[in-house]
Amino acid sequence: MASDSATVSPRTRGEKLVTGGWIAIAIAIPISCILSNATFDFSASLAALSMITLCAAFACWPKLFIAPMLNFRTLCDSVPRGSQIAMSLFVGLTVLRGFVELAA
């Protein structure tokens, strides 16, 4: 496991900027929900939570927005583990919100 971390190259300034931007969006979503004067809505809360997980997925994988040429054949093989978990949560929360909307 230690040998894996030794081969990881440090993030570039652009990758840090993209990651910081997605983290800022993920922080702005709950703040805007708290400051709004709308009543609590479970479906809207699920939507906000799923958007936060989507921001986390992109924050874990900034090369997606920086690299001009992506090899789409090996795209799924190069997704980082944290990004895979966040994308899975996003899909699960989106499906759950769909069921909540159908039940309402």
Side-chain angles (χ1 to χ4, degrees):
M1 206 61 169
S3 62
D4 290 343
S5 62
T7 60
V8 175
S9 62
R11 289 189 170 189
T12 63
R13 186 179 307 155
E15 289 174 339
K16 290 178 184 176
L17 182 67
V18 170
T19 300
W22 282 110
I23 291 172
I25 292 171
I27 291 171
I29 291 171
I31 290 174
S32 67
C33 291
I34 290 170
L35 295 178
S36 71
N37 55 1
T39 59
F40 178 78
D41 184 12
F42 186 68
S43 178
S45 300
L46 281 176
L49 191 59
S50 66
M51 291 308 297
I52 291 169
T53 59
L54 186 66
C55 291
F58 290 139
C60 291
W61 196 23
K63 285 188 179 182
L64 179 66
F65 295 97
I66 295 174
M69 297 297 292
L70 287 174
N71 186 358
F72 290 105
R73 291 182 185 184
T74 61
L75 185 66
C76 293
D77 297 334
S78 62
V79 177
R81 178 87 172 137
S83 191
Q84 289 176 355
I85 293 169
M87 285 183 184
S88 300
L89 281 172
F90 170 73
V91 170
L93 287 170
T94 304
V95 169
L96 179 64
R97 182 174 180 238
F99 283 127
V100 167
E101 288 292 325
L102 286 174

